[in-house]
Amino acid sequence: MIELKNIVKTYYPQKSTEVKALKGVDLKIEKGEMVAIMGVSGSGKSTLLHILGCLSKPTDGKYFLDGEDMNEAKRKQVYKIRNEKIGFIFQDYGLIEDKSVLENVMYPLAFSKNVKFLKMKKTAQKAIADVGISELARKKASKLSGGQKQRAAAARAIVNDPDIILADEPTAALDSKTADEVMALLKRLNEKGKTIIVVTHDKRIADMCQKTYVITDGCIKEDTQ
Amino acid sequence: MKKLYIVKSLIKDWFTSQLPYTAAVMVVFILSFIAMFFVATKVATEYLEDTSQENIYYNELAVGMGDEDGFYAEQVIILNSEFYDEYLKLNLPSLTANAKVQGVLQYTEKNGSKLEGTDACVLACFPVFSKEQQDRYGVVKHLLNYYDYEITKGRDLTEEDLCSGSYKAVAPEGYALDVGDVISCFGHEIEIVGLNKPSPYSVRKNGHIVIPYGFADECMADGIYGEDVFQYEIDEAYEYGAKPENNVYVPTGSYISGLTQVHMRLGLSEKPELVSYPAFLELTVNSFVFEERVNESQKEGLAKLLGITVDDFGNGYDWFYHEVVENFNGHVYKECIIAGIFCALNVLMIIMFLSSRNIKSYRIYRMYGCSGAGIFAINFISLMLVVLFTLVISMLLCKPAMLLFSGINDSYEFRPKCVLITSAVLAGISFAACIPAAISAARKSPID
């Protein structure tokens, strides 16, 4: 379970360029939920996602992940959580273009203590099969279409079998048909028990999720419509 | 093992990247590194030459070298040593002792007290010739690299001191010797009658103990060990011991132009035929210096004049060759060092480039739980493996390259010790160069 209490994030504090990206965000996401966080560009949704993904720390407030205070967590613990509990999907896919899909998907396993070296390949192949692109495993990421890349990114996100998948604008660079396919994939993962958090500015995408939160000027509220 | 998988992946990426320029950069890196290695090895070879090599080189230069001022084209033909002794015996029986007139004087007692191992025990000595000796041996002071001195205390050696071969000396000031001191050397007691310092005109700038030539000559037999003496020259002394029994003949008409510079007369057994020779620059006790290169038939002619065969000539010193090489070295060596520095900078820049080339990868690794230290290790090991691979190639190429260059210039000599030292130093520098790049990569945030 994810719980944020009065999260504040300020960039360049006490400088003339100070930016308050989040101004006291409270959020609770239960395990197995599929949640959309909507907001216009610059509203603070990506900042929120980075905090949820333990990629940056809040300036103030508390973040509990499965009851553990992430502000107090040691670095090693944070690295472990990022590796084992969270999978990331980004708008720009975040793939290493010169590497094959298989290699890209294997990277998170290289930093995991749960999978042995000799089983890395097999585990990665299974994740690739789960997102339906087994035939592309040997292809370089640069040779894939947008939808295929996002599936490869999804395979990398799930390869360590994390509980949470954070998707930052996963469909923004895709046409609507491909976007639907990617969302269907995320839904399927959600049905398998994964907590999915999708950051989007697209209402149609948000509607595919169980809950939608809207973030405006660093403040969040649930969209009940 | 898993981290090595990432390392392998990075290195593979550098060598086989889709971006063609990355592969090209790797080639430039390897070439730059090899060039840097080669220059560094050459520099190491220059500065780490062992003493025996230096001596060989020095002797080679010293024998037959005429004038140290500037370059002039000449070829020196040197007599082989086994023939040289015989040659001297035949032609210069009374002058051979002069060959080692300068040396080191070692004394073991001062004013009756034994001395042990102090600096004052060893003095570079310089024998002084009396007027009579100068006439007899035809000593040309300036050619002897003469020690010109001024008396600062006491008196100088008198003509009588010098002619009688008395045991008196003038010591250099600043040493533990004073006027009136008596030092014991090889069983002889030598009285210090004065102190000296080099005059402003002296070629030699360090203080020498000045002793009569007769004493030096006598002591030499007793064991004054002479340093390798700067080439001594003997003026035309045919009225004395060096005078050959037969008439002296000169090889050609062109020889006349060099006649005034001939410091020794040759004793020839028969009148030579006229042979067209390049002009002599000078003759010394064992060498013949020509202004131009002498061809084989001319060498044969010269051998015939001397009553020897061409095989009796040793390896001469060919300034035509060396002048070019020395000039080449003088210019190219500096430029090579500059090029080597640029290559080193290039290597450094490429290390930075290779590191930055994978920033996206590092971000992804960090996102998926790799620590900053892990990124540092991955980046550092990857860079070092590339550097070590290149270093090994450089080491392997060094020997054939040195052999190739030694065909042009014999100073390019392969010395495993220098190669190993260079490798160790460059490996150390490369390690150090990789650290900032690796730290920079480790500090990258997973988000930007």
Side-chain angles (χ1 to χ4, degrees):
Chain A
M1 192 184 74
I2 291 169
E3 189 175 5
L4 301 182
K5 283 185 180 172
N6 197 26
I7 291 289
V8 175
K9 180 70 181 179
T10 310
Y11 293 109
Y12 318 114
Q14 293 167 347
K15 285 184 182 169
S16 58
T17 48
E18 180 180 287
V19 178
K20 283 199 169 173
L22 298 175
K23 301 167 183 169
V25 170
D26 292 305
L27 181 66
K28 213 175 205 181
I29 299 169
E30 296 297 334
K31 195 176 179 191
E33 276 189 321
M34 184 165 179
V35 170
I37 297 171
M38 275 192 72
V40 294
S41 192
S43 59
K45 54 187 193 302
S46 288
T47 301
L48 181 60
L49 197 81
H50 291 157
I51 290 172
L52 289 171
C54 301
L55 296 173
S56 75
K57 280 194 167 184
T59 313
D60 203 4
K62 293 278 184 187
Y63 171 26
F64 295 97
L65 180 61
D66 291 337
E68 202 175 335
D69 186 350
M70 295 313 296
N71 291 2
E72 302 298 321
K74 289 185 176 167
R75 273 192 195 177
K76 271 194 174 177
Q77 183 66 10
V78 171
Y79 297 148
K80 193 165 183 268
I81 287 169
R82 282 215 298 256
N83 183 259
E84 293 173 6
K85 282 197 175 177
I86 304 168
F88 298 90
I89 299 173
F90 292 99
Q91 177 185 345
D92 65 354
Y93 322 116
L95 297 171
I96 300 169
E97 298 281 309
D98 298 331
K99 301 293 174 191
S100 69
V101 172
L102 185 65
E103 283 175 293
N104 270 290
V105 176
M106 278 166 77
Y107 284 136
L109 297 172
F111 307 109
S112 165
K113 290 194 166 57
N114 299 334
V115 182
K116 287 184 178 168
F117 177 70
L118 293 174
K119 290 201 170 170
M120 280 169 59
K121 200 171 173 184
K122 214 171 183 183
T123 311
Q125 280 170 334
K126 186 178 174 298
I128 293 166
D130 283 350
V131 299
I133 51 168
S134 294
E135 72 284 1
L136 303 174
R138 298 276 166 199
K139 257 199 169 179
K140 281 192 177 179
S142 58
K143 304 277 181 196
L144 303 180
S145 68
Q148 288 169 335
K149 281 182 181 175
Q150 207 54 293
R151 280 170 182 273
R156 191 182 60 192
I158 62 168
V159 72
N160 269 336
D161 195 21
D163 295 331
I164 304 160
I165 291 172
L166 301 176
D168 190 0
E169 302 274 14
T171 58
L174 306 175
D175 61 73
S176 58
K177 186 170 169 277
T178 315
D180 288 346
E181 284 171 10
V182 169
M183 284 309 291
L185 171 65
L186 291 177
K187 262 197 152 178
R188 233 177 31 245
L189 294 171
N190 177 239
E191 283 159 11
K192 286 181 181 175
K194 309 280 180 207
T195 305
I196 311 282
I197 302 169
V198 181
V199 166
T200 182
H201 61 270
D202 189 339
K203 182 85 172 73
R204 200 176 65 84
I205 297 297
D207 287 345
M208 295 181 195
C209 300
Q210 293 153 3
K211 268 188 195 170
T212 302
Y213 291 91
V214 178
I215 190 163
T216 316
D217 289 335
C219 299
I220 198 165
K221 62 175 182 180
E222 188 175 351
D223 185 5
T224 50
Q225 289 179 346
Chain B
M1 188 63 106
K2 284 180 183 176
K3 292 257 166 64
L4 283 180
Y5 163 74
I6 304 276
V7 167
K8 188 185 130 200
S9 171
L10 278 185
I11 294 173
K12 190 179 158 202
D13 190 35
W14 287 333
F15 278 96
T16 61
S17 171
Q18 267 203 322
L19 296 168
Y21 72 85
T22 308
V25 165
M26 290 309 296
V27 173
V28 172
F29 176 82
I30 291 170
L31 291 177
S32 296
F33 198 98
I34 290 170
M36 178 178 75
F37 184 89
F38 190 70
V39 170
T41 310
K42 177 75 181 112
V43 172
T45 310
E46 291 286 327
Y47 287 98
L48 296 173
E49 274 186 291
D50 60 51
T51 324
S52 61
Q53 288 292 336
E54 269 177 22
N55 285 344
I56 290 165
Y57 188 61
Y58 176 76
N59 287 339
E60 186 186 1
L61 277 174
V63 174
M65 196 162 82
D67 191 0
E68 277 196 312
D69 300 332
F71 289 111
Y72 54 87
E74 64 177 43
Q75 185 180 30
V76 179
I77 295 176
I78 300 170
L79 297 177
N80 271 336
S81 56
E82 64 268 29
F83 180 77
Y84 168 57
D85 287 344
E86 191 62 24
Y87 175 79
L88 283 181
K89 225 178 278 173
L90 286 169
N91 297 289
L92 297 163
S94 64
L95 292 182
T96 50
N98 282 343
K100 302 251 179 185
V101 288
Q102 293 159 238
V104 176
L105 184 69
Q106 190 171 33
Y107 58 97
T108 52
E109 269 182 47
K110 190 175 99 175
N111 301 336
S113 305
K114 283 213 181 288
L115 296 168
E116 286 179 8
T118 66
D119 286 342
C121 293
V122 176
L123 281 177
C125 75
F126 202 95
V128 184
F129 292 80
S130 66
K131 180 77 179 67
E132 184 191 328
Q133 286 164 335
Q134 285 183 38
D135 287 344
R136 180 167 180 239
Y137 298 132
V139 175
V140 181
K141 281 188 178 180
H142 74 274
L143 289 173
L144 263 172
N145 202 4
Y146 204 72
Y147 178 56
D148 197 12
Y149 58 90
E150 293 170 355
I151 296 294
T152 57
K153 190 176 177 184
R155 65 170 179 85
D156 198 356
L157 297 172
T158 61
E159 195 72 14
E160 191 189 335
D161 292 331
L162 297 169
C163 287
S164 65
S166 67
Y167 300 129
K168 290 189 170 58
V170 177
E173 63 175 11
Y175 287 78
L177 291 173
D178 204 352
V179 176
D181 284 347
V182 176
I183 56 173
S184 176
C185 180
F186 303 111
H188 302 291
E189 290 197 332
I190 305 165
E191 185 193 348
I192 307 299
V193 295
L195 298 183
N196 75 67
K197 69 172 185 181
S199 81
Y201 312 106
S202 178
V203 175
R204 291 167 176 264
K205 297 299 177 196
N206 298 324
H208 286 57
I209 189 164
V210 180
I211 56 175
Y213 168 72
F215 173 57
D217 199 16
E218 191 178 324
C219 280
M220 278 217 307
D222 292 336
I224 284 185
Y225 45 92
E227 58 185 316
D228 244 339
V229 184
F230 194 83
Q231 180 192 325
Y232 83 102
E233 316 227 8
I234 307 158
D235 207 354
E236 297 178 30
Y238 45 86
E239 289 170 21
Y240 293 95
K243 184 179 179 182
E245 287 179 5
N246 300 315
N247 290 330
V248 173
Y249 296 96
V250 292
T252 70
S254 64
Y255 173 73
I256 302 297
S257 67
L259 188 60
T260 54
Q261 294 175 47
V262 172
H263 308 301
M264 183 187 73
R265 292 273 176 171
L266 301 171
L268 302 174
S269 54
E270 57 185 64
K271 190 174 178 178
E273 292 169 15
L274 278 180
V275 184
S276 174
Y277 279 99
F280 275 97
L281 278 173
E282 64 181 85
L283 299 177
T284 64
V285 286
N286 69 336
S287 65
F288 311 86
V289 184
F290 297 92
E291 284 177 352
E292 292 168 35
R293 187 171 274 132
V294 178
N295 60 33
E296 283 308 309
S297 68
Q298 289 170 329
K299 263 191 190 176
E300 279 170 19
L302 183 62
K304 198 175 168 191
L305 283 176
L306 298 169
I308 57 174
T309 67
V310 174
D311 292 338
D312 292 324
F313 292 126
N315 291 321
Y317 196 75
D318 193 340
W319 270 101
F320 298 105
Y321 166 75
H322 282 277
E323 181 186 12
V324 173
V325 172
E326 292 295 331
N327 282 334
F328 174 83
N329 278 347
H331 291 110
V332 176
Y333 186 57
K334 278 182 212 151
E335 278 143 22
C336 275
I337 289 177
I338 292 167
I341 290 167
F342 275 106
C343 287
L345 288 174
N346 204 17
V347 165
L348 187 66
M349 299 303 286
I350 292 173
I351 284 175
M352 298 298 282
F353 167 79
L354 291 175
S355 179
S356 64
R357 170 87 180 84
N358 294 93
I359 280 176
K360 191 179 174 187
S361 305
Y362 303 146
R363 290 207 167 113
I364 291 165
Y365 303 155
R366 292 217 68 180
M367 193 175 291
Y368 280 99
C370 184
S371 64
I375 295 288
F376 177 88
I378 289 168
N379 194 26
F380 186 74
I381 293 169
S382 311
L383 290 171
M384 279 318 299
L385 284 177
V386 172
V387 167
L388 290 177
F389 165 75
T390 316
L391 191 63
V392 169
I393 293 183
S394 304
M395 287 170 78
L396 293 175
L397 284 179
C398 195
K399 188 168 184 178
M402 284 286 187
L403 288 174
L404 181 72
F405 277 91
S406 67
I408 304 166
N409 181 346
D410 54 13
S411 71
Y412 286 91
E413 192 179 337
F414 180 75
R415 298 209 183 132
K417 185 178 118 188
C418 294
V419 173
L420 288 176
I421 289 171
T422 307
S423 305
V425 170
L426 286 187
I429 292 171
S430 304
F431 267 106
C434 289
I435 288 173
I439 289 175
S440 163
R443 282 185 177 162
K444 297 287 177 204
S445 159
I447 49 167
D448 206 6

